[in-house]
Amino acid sequence: AQSVTQPDIHITVSEGASLELRCNYSYGATPYLFWYVQSPGQGLQLLLKYFSGDTLVQGIKGFEAEFKRSQSSFNLRKPSVHWSDAAEYFCAVGGVYKYIFGTGTRLKVLA
Amino acid sequence: DTAVSQTPKYLVTQMGNDKSIKCEQNLGHDTMYWYKQDSKKFLKIMFSYNNKELIINETVPNRFSPKSPDKAHLNLHINSLELGDSAVYFCASSYRDPNEQFFGPGTRLTVL
């Protein structure tokens, strides 16, 4: 069955600290992978995506993610978190008009 | 300029009523989607449309009827509303799926 798992429901980090949000997926074919961010009361915005090629992808706002096929993972990283990064982060997998989203990780940033 | 817009932003109604949510995108995209986000933030796809044609219907009750009058619009009509329909509904669009989806701001539906 196709699925996306984000093991961490909540993560709290101090401003300036590094961040890693985990995402594991189960998908029959080669997956198209995405990370989206949702600020309170807003729609989702794409941070980055992976379709093929270099397994380390760069996104907006200083985020990057690494696709590891052997681990079925697509973890999101940022070297130094800013207070404005506090939001809900969603990993998604799919393609061909159908997408599965993870349950999200809520990031809290301490000043 | 708003890329993907939805109206209304909030919708409060009684059980059993019928309501519609409208979605418009001005990005020239060929694919549009409806998602439901429940109170636990779980986001689940409901429908996908490509060039006005229904592509994906994710086992949504037939009380939900999407309609796409043209490529820029995808409306969602819900009949006989139930308490469990309370959620935030997001419209999204993309160009040449699979690709980045652009999401609207959401419509918060509350059924009393």
Side-chain angles (χ1 to χ4, degrees):
Chain A
Q2 299 169 353
S3 65
V4 177
T5 301
Q6 293 181 248
D8 304 306
I9 299 174
H10 298 280
I11 283 187
T12 300
V13 299
S14 298
E15 192 170 19
S18 63
L19 172 70
E20 182 170 28
L21 303 182
R22 295 182 290 165
C23 174
N24 293 94
Y25 66 88
S26 173
Y27 197 77
T30 300
Y32 299 103
L33 295 160
F34 307 82
W35 274 100
Y36 287 86
V37 61
Q38 183 181 27
S39 298
Q42 303 293 318
L44 280 72
Q45 180 187 20
L46 182 76
L47 288 174
L48 45 79
K49 63 186 179 187
Y50 174 78
F51 286 3
S52 64
D54 192 344
T55 56
L56 184 63
V57 293
Q58 302 297 320
I60 63 171
K61 305 184 181 185
F63 286 93
E64 66 177 28
E66 187 171 11
F67 170 57
K68 293 185 177 180
R69 185 185 299 275
S70 61
Q71 298 177 20
S72 298
S73 69
F74 189 55
N75 294 347
L76 182 71
R77 301 194 292 251
K78 186 170 184 178
S80 177
V81 170
H82 188 262
W83 64 264
S84 61
D85 293 325
E88 191 95 21
Y89 291 80
F90 292 92
C91 180
V93 63
V96 196
Y97 308 110
K98 180 178 174 180
Y99 298 86
I100 300 167
F101 282 75
T103 49
T105 296
R106 179 164 295 181
L107 175 64
K108 182 177 178 180
V109 181
L110 301 177
Chain B
D1 285 343
T2 303
V4 182
S5 59
Q6 296 178 228
T7 54
K9 189 168 175 62
Y10 299 97
L11 191 50
V12 181
T13 188
Q14 301 286 332
M15 269 198 313
N17 283 352
D18 303 338
K19 291 294 179 184
S20 292
I21 306 171
K22 295 186 176 182
C23 176
E24 176 181 2
Q25 54 94 4
N26 62 4
L27 299 166
H29 289 170
D30 56 0
T31 306
M32 297 185 73
Y33 315 81
W34 276 112
Y35 286 88
K36 178 181 180 181
Q37 187 176 48
D38 64 21
S39 58
K40 296 184 178 179
K41 298 285 188 177
F42 181 57
L43 195 67
K44 183 169 168 48
I45 194 164
M46 301 173 69
F47 302 102
S48 297
Y49 269 74
N50 177 255
N51 289 318
K52 305 192 303 175
E53 299 296 320
L54 177 65
I55 304 297
I56 295 286
N57 178 342
E58 275 296 290
T59 60
V60 177
N62 57 16
R63 297 184 296 104
F64 291 79
S65 51
K67 279 190 173 58
S68 183
D70 55 57
K71 287 198 299 184
H73 296 84
L74 180 61
N75 304 322
L76 184 65
H77 187 76
I78 316 170
N79 290 325
S80 303
L81 278 155
E82 301 177 356
L83 293 176
D85 298 331
S86 294
V88 180
Y89 292 83
F90 287 100
C91 176
S93 71
S94 71
Y95 182 65
R96 293 189 179 175
D97 185 283
N99 207 341
E100 171 186 3
Q101 293 177 62
F102 290 77
F103 283 78
T107 295
R108 182 174 293 276
L109 171 65
T110 303
V111 182
L112 304 175

